[in-house]
Amino acid sequence: MNLVGNTDLAFSEEQAMLMDVAREFCRDKSPIAAVRDQLETDTGFDAALWQEMAGLGWSGIALPESVGGSGLGVGALVPVVEAMGRAMLGTPLINTALAAQLILRSGSSGQVERLLPPLVEGGIATLALLDNGDWGADGLALRLGEDAVLTGSKRFVGDAGVADIVVASASRGGDAVLVVLEAEQLAGRLRPNTLIDQTRRAADIDFTGVQVEAANIIAGDRVAAALRDVRLCGALLVAAEATGSAAACLDTIVEYLKTRKQFGKLIGSYQALKHPTVDILTGMEDARSFVYHAATLLGEDNLDRDAEVACRMAKAQASAILSYAGDRAVQFHGGMGFTYECDAQLYIRRAQWTQQAFGDAQHHRKRLAALLLD
Amino acid sequence: MNLVGNTDLAFSEEQAMLMDVAREFCRDKSPIAAVRDQLETDTGFDAALWQEMAGLGWSGIALPESVGGSGLGVGALVPVVEAMGRAMLGTPLINTALAAQLILRSGSSGQVERLLPPLVEGGIATLALLDNGDWGADGLALRLGEDAVLTGSKRFVGDAGVADIVVASASRGGDAVLVVLEAEQLAGRLRPNTLIDQTRRAADIDFTGVQVEAANIIAGDRVAAALRDVRLCGALLVAAEATGSAAACLDTIVEYLKTRKQFGKLIGSYQALKHPTVDILTGMEDARSFVYHAATLLGEDNLDRDAEVACRMAKAQASAILSYAGDRAVQFHGGMGFTYECDAQLYIRRAQWTQQAFGDAQHHRKRLAALLLD
Amino acid sequence: MSATEAELAEFRSDVSAWMADNKPADPGFLLPQTFMEVGDERQLEFLREWQHKVWSAGYLGMAWPKEYGGGGVEPVFQNIADQEMRRHDVPICFNVIGLGWAGPLINDIGTEQEKSKYLKGILSAEDIWCQGFSEPEHGSDLGNAQTRAVRDGDEYVLNGQKIWTTMGNFAKYMILLARTNPEAQRKYDGLSFFLSPMDVPGVETRPIRKITGEYGFTETFFTDARIPADCLMGEEGQGWSIAMQTLQYERGAEAGAAGGLAMVRVTVEDMVEGLEGVERDGAPVLEDPLVRDQLVQAIMDEKALVLSVRRTGIAHLTSDYPGALPLSNKLRASELTRRMRQLAINLQGGEGALYVGDDTARQGGFWQRAYFNSFSATIGGGTSQIQANIVAEHVLGLPK
Amino acid sequence: MSATEAELAEFRSDVSAWMADNKPADPGFLLPQTFMEVGDERQLEFLREWQHKVWSAGYLGMAWPKEYGGGGVEPVFQNIADQEMRRHDVPICFNVIGLGWAGPLINDIGTEQEKSKYLKGILSAEDIWCQGFSEPEHGSDLGNAQTRAVRDGDEYVLNGQKIWTTMGNFAKYMILLARTNPEAQRKYDGLSFFLSPMDVPGVETRPIRKITGEYGFTETFFTDARIPADCLMGEEGQGWSIAMQTLQYERGAEAGAAGGLAMVRVTVEDMVEGLEGVERDGAPVLEDPLVRDQLVQAIMDEKALVLSVRRTGIAHLTSDYPGALPLSNKLRASELTRRMRQLAINLQGGEGALYVGDDTARQGGFWQRAYFNSFSATIGGGTSQIQANIVAEHVLGLPK
């Protein structure tokens, strides 16, 4: 038994460069005022900004050079996503990247060559994994019939309203398959969600009666593993983003604690605020350690046990600390924290969304217990 | 469903009187110096003091008048035990009372009339329930053969070294029975435990080969229910005692926080110490609420569901808060807290003993989940 | 002459029947759980009508004098009426500052004229009252209020700003704490207390958008606003002491409050029932051992609070730290509420990411909104951090 | 000229073989996990012999100069030796104040004479060193030390009291922080640093009984104790700065420490392995879902600490809050240790109530004693509460 196990942690030149660029880009292009401007728009993001990001090559970071990507793998996306989380920048990058990974990891070469290049160019994709709200559910409720017609629906499909393609998991005669659907096939089938995190958009999709083109069905042995991998990658990317948001939330708290006075003293001098803020710092730093540890272990192959452990720890830690940070941010801002105007609301809302996405902290700890203790 | 359920809380004149007397007695007779004097003695208590307590009628509080008791029930013992816990007074009162309840609740009238009067007079009894360290275990490993000879052993039998009689749970042909053993039968069979709480004494007992007199076997339908009841009463009495100890621990902390200076300020002015101390206060008050709520619901009959819920909540809460209080008492006393001389050690050690006795907090919460949610 | 048990039982049965008959149908929009959540006219009118109906039926202000619209009976009747309202889960009586703060105060120390002028309107919900204690720069530090009230002939001239004025945009009157003497040696002695009209020139309110996205509070600005001098309650300099007295009435009818259901009580049981159909690992979430443990802890916390209220009256069980139970109650209740609601969201699984406005949100997003709203109690009326200081200093005697 | 990978690998293999061959058998009594737990002569002599053996084999002080008993090689060799000691789970090299504090300091700023006199005895364990910084009235406030050192001819006269002197009753020398100038404007400037003998008249030690029931520390009393003036290190008034320098060496051989295993590392894995055979509800405790969740959290905490050390060297991943990882390390490591050990006891069920001295106690009561001892780290060297202040102020820039 080796419970602590693998503790590799490396950071490549490419990651460093991407981090520098992404931090600067997000800081310049996505100040909080710009984030707020998007809260009540239909799409939740600025299309021009998204095209700029694609222009920087971010959509292709994790995709092979053969389809126009940079071939750096999902690990290289982590610093970019963390920077986006820090700026609370709403974009379809994570969903597009994960949908692309599903295709890359299980599609035929023909599918890969056809479907991925547009995504590198700024196309938007998303993935539909959840039949209900249970990330721990086995089995797939969405059915693909022998006639290639779907029966069932999916919930909480991120960026569904703007996606050019939706990759959905389904069951065909008991086997897991993926189906790729074009936006026009889904017209009128989306029921937009109202999310607690107003920087995000999602929708439930009713697929019943949709006919899937044969070329858009991905089947075979690799599908199940790809689904597993991509759920773990999703957990990691959401964790990375949440870590960035937690750091930004911490900054917001610290700034207030250094300037607000009560009873004649700066409130940051009170240990009742100071010490929990230190807990946020150390919890956020732990999340970051797990995130970059996991990024270190990701490769092009299927994720091994160490990588799985790392991704789950990253998500468990990041979910927990962002929940705590968001909650404390509201509390520590006092009356101001109770207003919509205060940025604390952005983080507490993001925290609630993050908690659920790709499984909450308890979900991952339960899986970790099986991995580590059995 | 009514999750909060019964919230009766009454306090009788008798309980009030007993509380006044017990508080004063314990304060006078068991100052901390006296407690420390007993830490390394063989028995852990002052025999003369014990006789005084018996003289006050405490051994008989929960026993019927027919055997010389006051007939007030186990609930009336609660304020006395709480007062003892507050003074950290080591006595065989709880064990004697619980062993007596086992006999009272399941013995024949002959057994009751023979065995209980000596206990009202200052005799000492104890109970042997644990085959191993698992309070959640089903079944009984100690066997009583058809020849009335025992095979097996029991662990952590409190006050075994001074008990006139030991009441042990055993299995006879699959049925739960109780056997009552006299001290002389157990000569040479005790292996004294070294306990973390030095105010207590216990021993493992090897019963193999001991022949039980027919008159000292308690069998029948009432045994299983009596065992269940007494385990719950045990949980409650230990909780009551722990609540008293938590209150005393709190006093110790508060006293230090009001007098010790660091960096030129009384350390009690620092929120990092102040606020956890408030948590101890409110947690202790909750424990007290549960304890007296449970005491309100105890009667002579078998414990009903409400009483069971109350006893388990009392123990879960009292265990948890005393653990926290003891731990923080050491920490908040700084270097002094790390010494044997500081009274914080008494509480942290008591806390560890309490946690285990009659099942820890998690054990009881698990049972509560079944009672409340199923 | 005290009411007999039989009279009380009959009364209870009457109220119960009335509530069952008159409980309003679901209006199709989320109703406020507390008076701090009245965000729009639609909610306001609905609640105004309900309170008026309850009062007309004789179930509000029962212990207040008959001549001012009350019932003139013992407080025990109001307590029973309140219990039945709670039991029947009817909407709140939303004019809380009037019913629970201003009204009892006027009853206690008001002049004959004040009683005639104000009390009935409070009960009938015709006159909505708000409270002007907090100021932007002194959130938790009431004694430091800086809004000025300067006597000018038979008027006072008000200048300054209040914040967190619940229903400030709907209210006709405000109980106002303002500074009449900035030179007073103790800052507390410079304060005075006013029953101040809101509809005079120079008083403006600006709604505050809450973290929930909804409204419920205003900022209130005073710019040379002139109010009649007889709006002063008591004498100049008594403001702090009257304000503190005001805070005592919250404890219900026995303390002089008019009664009525002030907030929708939300329990762990509501949470558990609300989790029906939620799955975790393909099984009901209530079967998950970790969830069960969390729920048991929440139930214990809730039960402990109820028990601590029961215990408060038993001298032998409260003698160690007198004040521990009442003084810690706000801290504990508000923190429990916050924790429990956060937990309720987490237990919903994917649905926890939905919000009010999504038709498929569990109970219309009730728990998400409730979590956010719960901060009004952990922040307002002295933050939890300050409450902990108060307990430490006043109950345990720890140094400031 | 750096060692090659091959040389290092060969060296590692040599050390490993030596440790395997020479690891002492279980002496039949609980050995100290840290140097603060050496409570009796029996333990002392056992550890003295072991350290001498390690040094004789050339695996201690490897980076110190040859002429003073060291090995004169690169620190990397010592690091490897230390890793192998840890891996083989051998006893500690217990003369920690000498090896990790006094020795490196003397190496760095000592005179030729000081080096010759002290260094070898530190390595060979002939001369045990102790530390005299803390005082009873100023536990966490070192800068306020009041023990006086008054120059009198070619001697200093010491008066005062130190506390928490680890192995004070066994030590030959003390690194001592004492006040030479009570009039200095800054209290720090009045302090001086001494390499002070313990065996002079007027120095008395009184063992402190720890919460565990064992010994390990002393109080040290100075009553007109006279020490040679050349015991002063550096100059008068430099005491604070030298003391702070001393604290830097703890980080290992790279920083100048002599190396050796300073404490027995105890991991969650040790805890899990130690739970073999423990049952809960009639099944192995490790199958209980709540226990599993707690263990996973403990493993995550432990792993995060290891990862944070790895991450410290990567500039891009530490740029936001420089200092966050190193400055919070003591706080986090010591608190994790405390929590984990408390958990370890709770998970034992009934056996958790046993203690050292009970033959049937799990691992001889190791976890119970370890829990109590863990407070030495959450209290000593600045309590966790003070550590949190340091992080808040120095890393986050929050006001004092």
Side-chain angles (χ1 to χ4, degrees):
Chain A
M1 198 191 297
N2 182 356
L3 294 182
V4 162
N6 187 320
T7 54
D8 291 348
L9 209 168
F11 195 68
S12 68
E13 278 301 311
E14 287 87 356
Q15 283 175 309
M17 223 177 54
L18 281 165
M19 179 181 273
D20 290 340
V21 171
R23 285 254 182 128
E24 193 185 332
F25 180 88
C26 293
R27 191 167 47 231
D28 290 354
K29 307 281 181 166
S30 180
I32 282 292
V35 172
R36 285 188 175 266
D37 285 345
Q38 293 297 330
L39 293 184
E40 292 177 23
T41 64
D42 278 347
T43 62
F45 68 97
D46 175 344
L49 201 60
W50 168 249
Q51 289 308 323
E52 267 192 81
M53 289 164 64
L56 289 167
W58 292 358
S59 297
I61 289 173
L63 295 179
E65 295 178 10
S66 59
V67 299
S70 346
L72 296 173
V74 175
L77 206 51
V78 161
V80 174
V81 168
E82 190 196 2
M84 282 173 19
R86 180 177 284 265
M88 297 292 282
L89 173 53
T91 72
L93 184 64
I94 291 180
N95 287 322
T96 300
L98 291 172
Q101 288 294 317
L102 275 177
I103 295 167
L104 178 67
R105 286 164 185 262
S106 63
S108 66
S109 59
Q111 288 166 328
V112 166
E113 282 159 27
R114 175 168 55 87
L115 295 167
L116 296 189
L119 299 183
V120 175
E121 298 299 320
I124 297 174
T126 190
L127 66 180
L129 301 182
L130 272 187
D131 297 307
N132 59 23
D134 180 10
W135 282 99
D138 279 333
L140 289 161
L142 180 62
R143 312 252 148 213
L144 181 66
E146 288 306 316
D147 52 358
V149 173
L150 290 164
T151 310
S153 58
K154 292 281 182 180
R155 301 207 68 184
F156 317 125
V157 182
D159 298 312
V162 294
D164 301 311
I165 58 172
V166 175
V167 185
S169 57
S171 161
R172 186 173 65 182
D175 293 331
V177 297
L178 296 171
V179 293
V180 181
L181 302 155
E182 321 266 338
E184 48 269 31
Q185 291 179 277
L186 301 176
R189 295 174 164 280
L190 273 53
R191 198 196 59 74
N193 298 136
T194 302
L195 296 181
I196 196 165
D197 178 356
Q198 298 181 304
T199 68
R200 299 196 180 271
R201 300 296 176 273
D204 298 340
I205 304 181
D206 180 2
F207 292 100
T208 301
V210 173
Q211 170 97 36
V212 187
E213 287 175 52
N216 280 351
I217 297 173
I218 303 177
D221 288 350
R222 296 161 69 211
V223 169
L227 274 168
R228 171 185 163 280
D229 285 356
V230 167
R231 285 168 67 133
L232 291 170
C233 290
L236 172 59
L237 292 180
V238 170
E241 189 187 43
T243 302
S245 300
C249 182
L250 173 62
D251 288 345
T252 302
I253 293 171
V254 167
E255 182 58 28
Y256 193 69
L257 263 54
K258 283 156 89 165
T259 51
R260 168 78 175 176
K261 284 189 174 186
Q262 278 281 61
F263 301 102
K265 281 174 66 179
L266 287 170
I267 61 174
S269 64
Y270 293 108
Q271 288 176 328
L273 308 187
K274 202 173 208 172
H275 289 187
T277 305
V278 168
D279 292 338
I280 294 170
L281 170 70
T282 59
M284 180 278 289
E285 292 288 4
D286 280 355
R288 178 173 286 163
S289 293
F290 286 126
V291 161
Y292 284 96
H293 166 56
T296 305
L297 301 184
L298 287 189
E300 290 172 29
D301 299 331
N302 289 138
L303 274 61
D304 63 14
R305 176 184 170 284
D306 285 351
E308 178 175 357
V309 166
C311 289
R312 293 192 188 281
M313 286 188 175
K315 180 59 170 59
Q317 178 67 21
S319 286
I321 196 61
L322 183 56
S323 280
Y324 182 65
D327 183 275
R328 294 298 83 191
V330 171
Q331 179 69 23
F332 291 174
H333 277 77
M336 177 55 56
F338 195 62
T339 66
Y340 193 80
E341 182 191 350
C342 175
D343 291 335
Q345 64 104 339
L346 299 172
Y347 300 109
I348 196 173
R349 287 167 173 270
R350 168 64 59 90
Q352 296 306 315
W353 180 87
T354 294
Q355 180 73 250
Q356 308 301 335
F358 291 92
D360 66 16
Q362 258 178 38
H363 165 84
H364 288 290
R365 288 202 302 268
K366 191 184 278 188
R367 297 297 183 281
L368 284 165
L371 286 164
L372 297 169
L373 299 172
D374 291 341
Chain B
M1 199 190 298
N2 183 357
L3 294 182
V4 163
N6 187 319
T7 54
D8 291 349
L9 209 167
F11 196 68
S12 69
E13 278 302 311
E14 288 88 357
Q15 282 175 310
M17 224 176 53
L18 281 165
M19 179 181 273
D20 290 340
V21 172
R23 283 253 182 130
E24 195 184 332
F25 179 88
C26 292
R27 193 168 44 232
D28 290 353
K29 307 282 180 166
S30 179
I32 282 290
V35 172
R36 284 187 175 267
D37 285 345
Q38 292 297 330
L39 294 185
E40 292 176 23
T41 64
D42 278 348
T43 62
F45 67 98
D46 173 345
L49 202 61
W50 169 248
Q51 290 307 324
E52 268 192 79
M53 289 164 64
L56 289 166
W58 293 356
S59 297
I61 289 173
L63 294 179
E65 294 176 11
S66 59
V67 298
S70 346
L72 297 173
V74 175
L77 206 49
V78 162
V80 174
V81 167
E82 190 196 2
M84 282 173 16
R86 181 176 284 265
M88 296 293 283
L89 174 51
T91 73
L93 185 64
I94 292 181
N95 288 321
T96 300
L98 291 173
Q101 287 295 317
L102 274 178
I103 295 166
L104 179 67
R105 287 165 186 262
S106 63
S108 67
S109 59
Q111 288 166 327
V112 166
E113 282 158 29
R114 173 167 57 88
L115 296 167
L116 295 188
L119 299 182
V120 175
E121 299 300 321
I124 297 175
T126 190
L127 66 180
L129 302 180
L130 272 186
D131 298 307
N132 59 24
D134 180 11
W135 282 98
D138 280 332
L140 290 161
L142 180 62
R143 313 250 148 216
L144 181 67
E146 287 307 317
D147 51 359
V149 173
L150 289 164
T151 309
S153 59
K154 292 280 183 182
R155 301 208 68 186
F156 317 123
V157 182
D159 298 312
V162 293
D164 302 311
I165 58 172
V166 175
V167 186
S169 58
S171 161
R172 185 173 66 182
D175 292 332
V177 297
L178 295 172
V179 293
V180 181
L181 303 154
E182 321 266 339
E184 48 269 33
Q185 291 179 276
L186 301 175
R189 296 176 164 279
L190 273 55
R191 199 198 59 76
N193 298 134
T194 302
L195 296 179
I196 197 165
D197 178 357
Q198 298 181 302
T199 68
R200 302 196 179 272
R201 300 295 177 271
D204 299 339
I205 304 181
D206 180 2
F207 292 101
T208 301
V210 173
Q211 170 98 36
V212 187
E213 287 175 51
N216 279 352
I217 297 173
I218 303 176
D221 289 349
R222 294 162 70 213
V223 170
L227 274 168
R228 172 184 162 281
D229 285 356
V230 168
R231 286 169 65 132
L232 291 170
C233 289
L236 172 59
L237 292 181
V238 170
E241 189 187 42
T243 301
S245 300
C249 182
L250 173 62
D251 289 345
T252 303
I253 292 173
V254 167
E255 182 58 28
Y256 193 70
L257 262 52
K258 283 156 88 165
T259 49
R260 168 77 173 174
K261 283 189 176 185
Q262 278 281 59
F263 302 102
K265 281 173 67 178
L266 288 171
I267 61 174
S269 64
Y270 293 108
Q271 289 177 327
L273 307 186
K274 201 174 209 172
H275 290 188
T277 305
V278 168
D279 292 337
I280 295 169
L281 170 70
T282 58
M284 180 278 288
E285 293 288 4
D286 281 354
R288 177 173 286 162
S289 292
F290 287 126
V291 161
Y292 284 96
H293 165 57
T296 305
L297 301 184
L298 287 190
E300 290 172 30
D301 300 331
N302 289 137
L303 275 62
D304 63 14
R305 176 184 169 284
D306 285 352
E308 178 175 357
V309 166
C311 289
R312 293 192 187 280
M313 285 188 176
K315 181 59 170 58
Q317 178 68 20
S319 287
I321 196 61
L322 184 54
S323 281
Y324 182 65
D327 182 275
R328 294 297 82 192
V330 172
Q331 178 70 22
F332 292 175
H333 278 76
M336 178 55 57
F338 194 62
T339 68
Y340 194 80
E341 182 192 351
C342 176
D343 291 335
Q345 65 104 337
L346 299 171
Y347 301 109
I348 196 172
R349 287 165 171 272
R350 168 64 59 90
Q352 296 305 315
W353 180 88
T354 294
Q355 180 74 250
Q356 307 302 334
F358 292 93
D360 65 16
Q362 260 178 36
H363 166 84
H364 288 290
R365 288 201 303 266
K366 191 184 276 187
R367 297 296 184 282
L368 285 165
L371 287 163
L372 297 169
L373 299 172
D374 291 341
Chain C
M1 193 192 66
S2 270
T4 65
E5 286 293 322
E7 282 168 335
L8 294 178
E10 188 190 341
F11 174 71
R12 185 183 294 276
S13 143
D14 290 348
V15 190
S16 180
W18 189 89
M19 293 294 159
D21 290 347
N22 290 278
K23 178 179 174 176
D26 183 343
F29 50 88
L30 268 185
L31 279 172
Q33 296 168 249
T34 75
F35 78 109
M36 288 176 283
E37 297 165 21
V38 183
D40 58 38
E41 295 275 351
R42 193 172 60 162
Q43 293 174 320
L44 177 80
E45 290 313 322
F46 181 95
L47 291 174
R48 197 198 286 269
E49 191 181 317
W50 169 248
Q51 183 182 324
H52 191 277
K53 192 167 183 176
V54 173
W55 170 67
S56 302
Y59 298 136
L60 192 62
M62 298 182 69
W64 287 12
K66 270 198 166 161
E67 58 268 44
Y68 308 124
V73 299
E74 296 165 72
V76 63
F77 286 96
Q78 186 66 56
N79 290 340
I80 289 173
D82 293 354
Q83 286 161 13
E84 291 302 313
M85 288 188 230
R86 187 175 291 275
R87 210 167 62 77
H88 284 273
D89 202 17
V90 298
I92 59 173
C93 286
F94 79 116
N95 195 11
V96 168
I97 296 296
L99 299 168
W101 301 45
L105 184 71
I106 294 166
N107 253 325
D108 260 12
I109 65 167
T111 62
E112 185 55 38
Q113 197 196 356
E114 286 166 340
K115 292 181 186 178
S116 305
K117 181 171 176 190
Y118 298 120
L119 291 178
K120 191 169 168 188
I122 286 173
L123 294 171
S124 69
E126 191 173 325
D127 302 339
I128 297 170
W129 283 68
C130 65
Q131 181 249 79
F133 289 4
S134 290
E135 299 187 1
E137 288 310 306
H138 316 94
S140 292
D141 189 9
L142 289 189
N144 207 15
Q146 296 299 328
T147 294
R148 285 298 311 274
V150 178
R151 179 79 182 233
D152 182 25
D154 57 357
E155 293 182 323
Y156 279 94
V157 184
L158 305 177
N159 276 289
Q161 184 185 352
K162 293 289 176 179
I163 196 166
W164 311 121
T165 320
T166 305
M167 297 192 288
N169 45 338
F170 303 132
K172 187 161 173 186
Y173 299 108
M174 168 185 275
I175 49 174
L176 170 69
L177 193 61
R179 189 161 296 278
T180 42
N181 178 8
E183 262 80 58
Q185 235 180 345
R186 290 177 65 243
K187 62 184 178 184
Y188 305 103
D189 296 336
L191 295 170
S192 297
F193 197 96
F194 298 88
L195 306 174
S196 181
M198 293 292 282
D199 58 353
V200 296
V203 178
E204 281 179 277
T205 60
R206 189 164 63 198
I208 296 172
R209 192 173 182 192
K210 293 188 299 181
I211 187 173
T212 61
E214 302 159 320
Y215 293 90
F217 299 94
T218 66
E219 289 178 282
T220 306
F221 301 89
F222 301 94
T223 316
D224 293 329
R226 289 178 168 269
I227 61 171
D230 65 2
C231 291
L232 176 70
M233 187 155 220
E235 293 173 26
E236 283 196 12
Q238 293 183 341
W240 177 254
S241 124
I242 297 176
M244 290 302 102
Q245 182 177 350
T246 309
L247 302 180
Q248 302 309 309
Y249 299 116
E250 280 185 279
R251 310 183 193 249
E254 306 286 352
L261 192 63
M263 58 162 61
V264 176
R265 191 177 52 173
V266 181
T267 65
V268 180
E269 186 158 328
D270 295 318
M271 173 165 78
V272 169
E273 288 173 356
L275 291 171
E276 201 182 329
V278 177
E279 297 205 333
R280 209 161 247 258
D281 298 320
V285 67
L286 292 179
E287 291 178 8
D288 182 290
L290 282 152
V291 170
R292 290 161 73 86
D293 194 65
Q294 288 169 309
L295 290 173
V296 167
Q297 295 195 44
I299 294 166
M300 284 178 61
D301 285 346
E302 191 171 287
K303 187 159 183 159
L305 267 175
V306 177
L307 289 172
S308 80
V309 174
R310 302 261 157 139
R311 188 153 71 83
T312 303
I314 304 175
H316 266 82
L317 298 183
T318 51
S319 55
D320 298 288
Y321 298 99
L325 302 178
L327 278 177
S328 65
N329 188 62
K330 189 249 183 191
L331 171 64
R332 300 179 53 213
S334 62
E335 287 293 328
L336 168 60
T337 298
R338 184 185 57 75
R339 281 200 311 277
M340 189 178 97
R341 294 177 184 189
Q342 192 181 24
L343 176 63
I345 304 174
N346 287 345
L347 296 184
Q348 292 182 20
E351 290 178 358
L354 298 178
Y355 198 64
V356 177
D358 193 310
D359 292 342
T360 67
R362 197 155 277 270
Q363 293 167 275
F366 174 89
W367 295 98
Q368 285 81 335
R369 191 181 72 156
Y371 170 44
F372 291 163
N373 270 324
S374 71
F375 286 95
S376 72
T378 60
I379 293 170
T383 64
S384 293
Q385 287 71 30
I386 288 170
Q387 296 293 330
N389 280 351
I390 291 173
V391 177
E393 290 156 19
H394 294 243
V395 178
L396 297 174
L398 291 177
K400 256 196 182 283
Chain D
M1 194 191 65
S2 269
T4 64
E5 285 292 322
E7 281 168 336
L8 295 178
E10 189 191 336
F11 174 71
R12 185 183 293 277
S13 145
D14 290 348
V15 190
S16 180
W18 190 89
M19 293 293 160
D21 290 347
N22 291 278
K23 179 177 174 176
D26 184 344
F29 49 88
L30 266 185
L31 279 172
Q33 297 167 248
T34 73
F35 78 108
M36 289 175 282
E37 297 165 20
V38 183
D40 59 37
E41 295 275 351
R42 192 171 61 162
Q43 293 175 319
L44 177 79
E45 290 313 321
F46 181 94
L47 291 174
R48 197 199 286 269
E49 191 181 318
W50 168 248
Q51 183 183 323
H52 191 276
K53 192 167 182 175
V54 173
W55 170 67
S56 302
Y59 298 136
L60 191 63
M62 299 182 69
W64 286 12
K66 270 197 165 162
E67 60 267 45
Y68 308 124
V73 299
E74 295 165 72
V76 62
F77 286 96
Q78 186 67 55
N79 290 340
I80 289 173
D82 292 354
Q83 285 161 14
E84 291 303 311
M85 288 187 232
R86 187 174 291 275
R87 208 166 64 76
H88 284 273
D89 203 18
V90 297
I92 58 172
C93 287
F94 79 116
N95 195 11
V96 168
I97 297 295
L99 299 169
W101 302 43
L105 185 71
I106 293 167
N107 252 326
D108 260 12
I109 64 167
T111 62
E112 185 55 37
Q113 197 197 354
E114 285 166 342
K115 292 180 188 178
S116 305
K117 180 173 177 188
Y118 298 121
L119 291 179
K120 192 170 164 187
I122 287 173
L123 294 172
S124 69
E126 191 172 326
D127 302 340
I128 297 171
W129 283 68
C130 67
Q131 183 248 81
F133 289 3
S134 290
E135 298 187 2
E137 289 308 307
H138 315 94
S140 293
D141 189 8
L142 289 190
N144 208 15
Q146 297 297 327
T147 294
R148 285 298 310 274
V150 178
R151 178 78 182 237
D152 181 24
D154 57 358
E155 292 182 323
Y156 279 94
V157 184
L158 305 177
N159 276 289
Q161 185 185 351
K162 294 290 176 178
I163 197 166
W164 312 120
T165 320
T166 306
M167 297 192 288
N169 45 338
F170 303 131
K172 187 160 171 188
Y173 299 108
M174 168 185 274
I175 50 175
L176 169 69
L177 193 62
R179 189 162 297 277
T180 43
N181 178 9
E183 261 81 56
Q185 235 180 346
R186 291 175 66 243
K187 63 184 178 185
Y188 305 103
D189 296 337
L191 295 170
S192 299
F193 196 96
F194 298 88
L195 305 175
S196 181
M198 294 291 284
D199 57 354
V200 296
V203 178
E204 282 179 275
T205 61
R206 187 164 65 198
I208 297 172
R209 192 173 183 193
K210 293 189 300 182
I211 186 173
T212 60
E214 302 159 318
Y215 295 90
F217 299 94
T218 67
E219 291 179 281
T220 306
F221 301 89
F222 301 93
T223 316
D224 292 330
R226 289 179 169 267
I227 60 173
D230 65 3
C231 291
L232 176 69
M233 188 157 219
E235 293 173 24
E236 284 197 11
Q238 292 183 342
W240 177 254
S241 126
I242 297 176
M244 290 301 102
Q245 183 178 349
T246 309
L247 301 180
Q248 301 309 308
Y249 299 116
E250 281 186 277
R251 311 185 192 249
E254 307 285 353
L261 192 63
M263 57 162 61
V264 176
R265 190 177 53 174
V266 181
T267 65
V268 179
E269 186 158 328
D270 296 317
M271 172 165 80
V272 168
E273 287 172 358
L275 291 171
E276 203 181 330
V278 177
E279 297 205 332
R280 209 160 247 257
D281 298 319
V285 67
L286 291 179
E287 291 177 8
D288 183 291
L290 283 152
V291 171
R292 291 161 73 85
D293 194 65
Q294 289 169 309
L295 290 174
V296 167
Q297 294 194 47
I299 294 166
M300 284 179 61
D301 286 346
E302 191 172 286
K303 186 159 184 159
L305 268 175
V306 177
L307 288 172
S308 80
V309 173
R310 302 258 158 143
R311 188 153 71 81
T312 303
I314 303 175
H316 266 82
L317 298 183
T318 51
S319 55
D320 297 288
Y321 298 99
L325 302 179
L327 279 176
S328 65
N329 189 61
K330 190 248 183 192
L331 170 63
R332 300 178 53 213
S334 62
E335 287 293 328
L336 168 60
T337 298
R338 182 185 58 75
R339 282 200 311 277
M340 191 178 96
R341 293 176 186 190
Q342 192 181 24
L343 176 63
I345 303 174
N346 287 345
L347 296 184
Q348 291 181 20
E351 291 179 358
L354 298 178
Y355 197 63
V356 178
D358 193 309
D359 292 343
T360 68
R362 197 155 277 271
Q363 294 167 273
F366 174 90
W367 294 98
Q368 285 80 338
R369 191 181 70 155
Y371 170 44
F372 291 162
N373 270 324
S374 72
F375 287 96
S376 72
T378 60
I379 292 169
T383 64
S384 294
Q385 288 70 31
I386 288 169
Q387 295 293 331
N389 280 351
I390 291 173
V391 177
E393 291 156 19
H394 294 244
V395 178
L396 296 174
L398 291 176
K400 256 196 180 289

